[in-house]
Amino acid sequence: QARRRRFYDSFKSNMRLATAVAAYALLASSARAFTPSCSPVSLARRVSQFGQLSTRRMSSSADTSLKANVLKLTEPAKDLLPGIDVFIFDCDGVIWRGDSVIDGIPETLEKLRKLGKKMYFVTNNSTKSRAGYKKKFDSLGLNVPAEEIFSSSFAAAAYLEQTNFKDKGKKVYVVGEVGIQEELDLIGVPHFGGPEDGGKVPEMGPGCKVEHDHDVGAVVVGFDRNINYYKIQYAQLCINENPGCEFIATNTDAVTHLTDAQEWAGNGSMVGAIKGCTGVEPTVVGKPSPLMIDYLEQKLGLDKSRICMVGDRLDTDILFGTDNGLKSLLVLSGVTTEEKLLSLQNTITPDFYADSIVDFFIDSKVAV
């Protein structure tokens, strides 16, 4: 009886061991399916770590995927300011949000001027002309000369001027606001549409159609707070039916800052509507197109290698910098978060990033 009990106890012990080994094998197999590179650890550690391992590794990958390539600006006096003669600033999300200037911006711009830095303000927002943006800078208490301001409405006019559009004797149909119209007036190009078509509704009964001007040689699409079906229909008729009619977009920004309370649908939504019904890719004249930097380089004799583009958008501002041979710095005061910048999905890498341009003087050793 004693031998039977020893045998029974030994059998139970072996069964427990076999069950533990089987459980470990199953756990190890499951763990390998999720964490192929995990090194062997004890069963106790496996059990405690398994539920957190995958999440921790994904987090670690996301945290380190770009940090080696994108440096947060901590020593501007050493890493940034000495090598830059010219700063090109985006406006929305960098200088202001909506109609509110970002904290510390006036003082920062003044410090940069005292250091002898040149500055230009380049915005993709086409609702105002350069003269209109000068008024906005003034209203926010920012002392910025008119010649330092470049808008995408100006870029559209500059593009038409460079391509000798006026010599063709054609007109421009405008989907957009007064900024585009004012810039076209300055180069003497005839145009119509814009705010004047804001209240128009096409007749859509039997046999009805929208008549369009066959002398329209270009459709310029900028941000339009009064976009409507009539404008979209008129634009697509010109592009689809007028031979050689060009489709020009001031920008394709997904969102914009109309107010400081939230993001609003940007010009990308207007451009997308017309691209969708024409099947035509637009010529984009705002960032990241090289048109504005080429203008600055040629007209003002600037050295690209000593220019830094500063913006809050990866796909326009930073791409504008990286694609055109400039230094680039992303600020987190606008639409892009640090999480998005450092995510595995992001492939656009600035040279530096900072919370805002106020951080240009975070280093107390910077003398002004």
Side-chain angles (χ1 to χ4, degrees):
Q1 186 172 5
R3 276 186 304 186
R4 283 200 301 270
R5 179 171 295 281
R6 284 196 299 273
F7 173 81
Y8 180 71
D9 291 339
S10 176
F11 176 79
K12 286 198 297 180
S13 176
N14 288 337
M15 286 298 293
R16 284 195 298 269
L17 177 61
T19 301
V21 169
Y24 174 83
L26 179 61
L27 182 61
S29 174
S30 299
R32 281 196 298 272
F34 290 94
T35 57
S37 61
C38 186
S39 59
V41 292
S42 68
L43 179 60
R45 286 183 64 194
R46 280 276 191 180
V47 172
S48 65
Q49 292 175 352
F50 181 68
Q52 304 172 2
L53 193 54
S54 219
T55 301
R56 188 171 68 248
R57 289 200 166 187
M58 288 176 64
S59 174
S60 176
S61 296
D63 286 346
T64 61
S65 61
L66 288 178
K67 280 184 179 177
N69 298 323
V70 186
L71 301 175
K72 187 158 189 181
L73 187 67
T74 57
E75 297 182 276
K78 177 172 72 75
D79 297 331
L80 180 68
L81 297 175
I84 301 300
D85 297 329
V86 179
F87 286 97
I88 298 178
F89 293 113
D90 178 45
C91 295
D92 298 331
V94 178
I95 305 300
W96 59 64
R97 283 189 292 264
D99 289 321
S100 302
V101 69
I102 294 172
D103 289 344
I105 296 301
E107 297 82 0
T108 299
L109 297 182
E110 185 61 31
K111 289 177 182 178
L112 287 171
R113 293 194 191 281
K114 287 182 179 179
L115 288 176
K117 306 300 182 183
K118 292 182 180 178
M119 290 178 283
Y120 296 95
F121 301 85
V122 178
T123 175
N124 264 358
N125 192 326
S126 63
T127 58
K128 296 179 177 65
S129 62
R130 287 167 294 171
Y133 273 107
K134 170 60 177 166
K135 292 178 182 177
K136 178 162 185 174
F137 276 100
D138 290 344
S139 72
L140 294 174
L142 299 171
N143 183 24
V144 173
E147 58 269 21
E148 292 182 353
I149 303 168
F150 295 87
S151 64
S152 62
S153 52
F154 163 76
Y159 172 79
L160 291 171
E161 190 171 37
Q162 288 176 356
T163 56
N164 299 313
F165 180 84
K166 186 177 178 180
D167 297 342
K168 299 174 185 177
K170 298 288 186 178
K171 306 171 188 175
V172 171
Y173 182 70
V174 175
V175 178
E177 301 190 14
V178 296
I180 297 171
Q181 294 176 312
E182 289 176 357
E183 294 291 352
L184 292 177
D185 286 338
L186 291 175
I187 62 169
V189 169
H191 60 84
F192 65 102
E196 290 76 16
D197 284 355
K200 292 185 178 179
V201 178
E203 293 289 338
M204 289 181 281
C208 292
K209 64 178 183 178
V210 172
E211 298 287 351
H212 76 285
D213 190 332
H214 293 273
D215 285 332
V216 171
V219 173
V220 176
V221 181
F223 185 74
D224 191 335
R225 282 167 284 200
N226 294 300
I227 187 75
N228 58 33
Y229 190 68
Y230 178 88
K231 293 182 181 181
I232 295 171
Q233 172 64 359
Y234 203 102
Q236 76 86 10
L237 288 171
C238 293
I239 295 168
N240 283 337
E241 298 187 11
N242 291 4
C245 182
E246 191 163 6
F247 176 16
I248 300 168
T250 60
N251 67 85
T252 56
D253 292 358
V255 295
T256 189
H257 293 109
L258 293 181
T259 70
D260 60 358
Q262 63 181 182
E263 293 177 352
W264 299 75
N267 194 45
S269 60
M270 291 90 187
V271 173
I274 294 169
K275 176 182 172 182
C277 60
T278 61
V280 175
E281 288 287 342
T283 297
V284 180
V285 295
K287 295 171 294 183
S289 165
L291 188 143
M292 283 195 273
I293 190 60
D294 288 346
Y295 178 90
L296 288 170
E297 183 184 31
Q298 294 165 12
K299 297 285 186 181
L300 304 174
L302 303 180
D303 179 0
K304 283 185 178 182
S305 68
R306 296 186 65 82
I307 300 175
C308 182
M309 176 65 214
V310 181
D312 68 320
R313 298 174 187 269
L314 290 164
D315 59 349
T316 55
D317 301 321
I318 303 308
L319 204 58
F320 178 72
T322 58
D323 282 0
N324 292 295
L326 315 179
K327 292 288 191 299
S328 60
L329 185 144
L330 180 86
V331 290
L332 304 178
S333 51
V335 301
T336 304
T337 63
E338 185 176 39
E339 180 182 9
K340 181 178 180 180
L341 170 66
L342 300 177
S343 71
L344 290 170
Q345 290 73 33
N346 176 41
T347 59
I348 302 171
T349 57
D351 294 290
F352 297 100
Y353 75 101
D355 292 329
S356 80
I357 69 168
V358 174
D359 289 351
F360 284 11
F361 297 95
I362 196 171
D363 190 330
S364 59
K365 291 180 290 185
V366 176
V368 292

